[in-house]
Amino acid sequence: MKITGFELRRIAMPLVAPFRTSFGVETARDVLLVRAATPDGDGWGECVAMSEPLYSPEYADGAADVITRFLAPRLLAAGEVGPLDVARLLEPVRGHRMAKAALETAVLDAWLRARGESFGAYLGAVRDRVPAGVSVGIMDSVPALLDAVGGYLEQGYLRIKLKIEPGWDVAPVRAVRERFGDDVLLQVDANAAYTLADARVLAALDDFDLLLIEQPLAEDDLRQHAELARLLRTPICLDESIESAKDAADALLLGACRIINVKPGRVGGYLEARRIHDLAQAHGAAVWCGGMLETGLGRAANVALAALPGFTLPGDTSASDRYFAQDVTEPFVLANGHVAVPAGPGLGVEPLPDVLASLTTSTTWLPSA
Ligand code: SMG
Ligand code: MG
């Protein structure tokens, strides 16, 4: 497949409510979209980097820069490029996995659309809908949190994830358990806000029968996660620490986690995400699909991935209206706690032209030489 050029498009998406984590507050999503143009049609990739390098070292302006100067030129100079070539062609450039993932996804989407095959079919999906969890930010008070959780449960979300940080951990978890009972599937995510010295507080969460505790310690603390795992009954799940299938293998072998949050952007794309799925399955470890407040474009691919057989826990694959009043595609909706896997070619969803135009803050065209 010949790529005639890449379009980088920035869109500004206000969130329906501020989303607070242990590293900051998001009130709007500043998204970098990549469109791969080919003679047979276009493909889309959403870069999950946030506007500031707080979740991970990548950030949207940096991703746009590395794509423009170093990544897109390698693909545009390569002549025929298929989805399996992208990672190899970009491999000499260190890191920048979210930027690489956006390019690979755009190429894969264009290639699948031309073949008339869906992301789900290509990746190996075995379901036509996936159970939806929801990630609930840190709130100003426990009553505000209980209102938010109650609202999501009423809508039908099948699993609740509470963001935690030192000072906002045992009390909110206890309050949610007391109000909504022991049957709610409940888990927590610290975004690396603790150290091993906090093991006692984290062990206090063992009383609440959580599905998992996500990324309690720093991303480069694999050994310390393994140590912490020995002190907790609650399974540890890693997010930020896992940037590749190799990292996943190391973490599982070391006993640093029993569960992995798979985010395709964080690991360099959907093909590497599928490798992590395969590896975890072989290892008997559970995986689930994480979220980065994606628009409908990124969500379409995530939902397809979450339909693979080893994704045995509900993901952060919520409906569009949990994030945005107006999504850039037809919205993903919650039906009996599930979100449908798109069945059409490629991502199976399109940006709505007028909406896309109204949200766009800039576009750059990177032509092939
Ligand atoms: O997409 O529903 C979503 C957000 C899920 O909590 C979520 N993501 O660490 O897992 C995580 C966070 C990272 C993004 S926070 C701005
Ligand atoms: Mg996380």
Side-chain angles (χ1 to χ4, degrees):
M1 194 171 69
K2 173 81 187 139
I3 299 164
T4 49
F6 289 105
E7 182 189 75
L8 303 190
R9 184 181 282 262
R10 292 292 278 276
I11 61 174
M13 308 269 294
L15 291 171
V16 291
F19 184 55
R20 182 167 150 215
T21 65
S22 62
F23 60 79
V25 186
E26 313 290 323
T27 54
R29 197 71 181 84
D30 165 23
V31 186
L32 169 64
L33 297 177
V34 175
R35 180 171 63 86
T38 82
D40 297 326
D42 291 349
W44 290 91
E46 175 168 343
C47 182
V48 300
M50 301 274 156
S51 43
E52 296 178 87
L54 302 178
Y55 164 81
S56 72
E58 290 188 77
Y59 60 104
D61 284 343
D65 185 70
V66 78
I67 288 173
T68 304
R69 293 172 59 200
F70 303 109
L71 301 178
R74 285 174 184 266
L75 300 182
L76 293 170
E80 293 287 311
V81 175
L84 300 175
D85 303 319
V86 174
R88 177 179 52 79
L89 289 165
L90 302 183
E91 203 270 333
V93 176
R94 310 276 177 194
H96 298 284
R97 289 184 163 88
M98 293 175 178
K100 291 175 177 177
L103 285 166
E104 187 187 80
T105 306
V107 171
L108 180 56
D109 183 35
W111 187 79
L112 287 172
R113 282 182 204 263
R115 287 170 31 131
E117 187 177 6
S118 71
F119 255 72
Y122 176 76
L123 292 173
V126 293
R127 292 182 277 265
D128 59 8
R129 58 173 205 163
V130 297
V134 61
S135 176
V136 186
I138 295 166
M139 304 263 162
D140 292 338
S141 69
V142 167
L145 176 71
L146 294 177
D147 278 355
V149 170
Y152 290 130
L153 290 173
E154 227 159 78
Q155 290 173 50
Y157 283 104
L158 297 173
R159 185 227 68 197
I160 300 290
K161 160 167 140 181
L162 303 181
K163 290 290 191 177
I164 58 168
E165 65 182 4
W168 180 267
D169 38 43
V170 177
V173 169
R174 175 180 291 121
V176 168
R177 270 286 179 245
E178 281 176 359
R179 169 72 74 89
F180 301 106
D182 293 339
D183 290 345
V184 173
L185 299 182
L186 187 63
Q187 63 194 50
V188 294
D189 184 0
N191 288 109
Y194 294 84
T195 70
L196 199 48
D198 299 311
R200 281 246 289 270
V201 180
L202 297 170
L205 294 171
D206 280 343
D207 288 346
F208 303 104
D209 196 23
L210 302 177
L211 287 171
L212 57 90
I213 173 165
E214 182 176 342
Q215 197 69 45
L217 312 180
E219 44 278 22
D220 56 355
D221 275 353
L222 271 198
R223 286 184 60 117
Q224 297 203 15
H225 276 105
E227 193 57 40
L228 180 64
R230 282 187 270 280
L231 303 172
L232 305 185
R233 281 199 314 276
T234 310
I236 293 179
C237 168
L238 290 177
D239 172 356
E240 285 91 326
S241 291
I242 307 298
E243 296 189 343
S244 64
K246 185 162 93 48
D247 288 346
D250 283 349
L252 291 171
L253 290 173
L254 207 61
C257 67
R258 285 193 261 159
I259 302 171
I260 295 171
N261 167 337
V262 180
K263 287 181 184 163
R266 194 193 65 224
V267 303
Y270 288 85
L271 302 178
E272 187 74 357
R274 183 171 58 181
R275 277 179 215 118
I276 294 175
H277 162 271
D278 295 350
L279 174 98
Q281 246 194 337
H283 202 277
V287 299
W288 55 281
C289 184
M292 292 290 287
L293 310 169
E294 284 91 347
T295 75
L297 290 168
R299 191 164 309 283
N302 284 354
V303 166
L305 181 73
L308 267 62
F311 282 76
T312 51
L313 292 168
D316 285 340
T317 46
S318 312
S320 296
D321 66 0
R322 179 258 173 269
Y323 312 93
F324 312 114
Q326 170 72 66
D327 206 336
V328 71
T329 61
E330 289 296 339
F332 282 80
V333 295
L334 200 64
N336 294 319
H338 291 70
V339 169
V341 179
L347 294 173
V349 297
E350 312 277 344
L352 301 166
D354 294 350
V355 176
L356 184 65
S358 71
L359 298 171
T360 296
T361 53
S362 70
T363 55
T364 309
W365 173 244
L366 309 173
S368 70

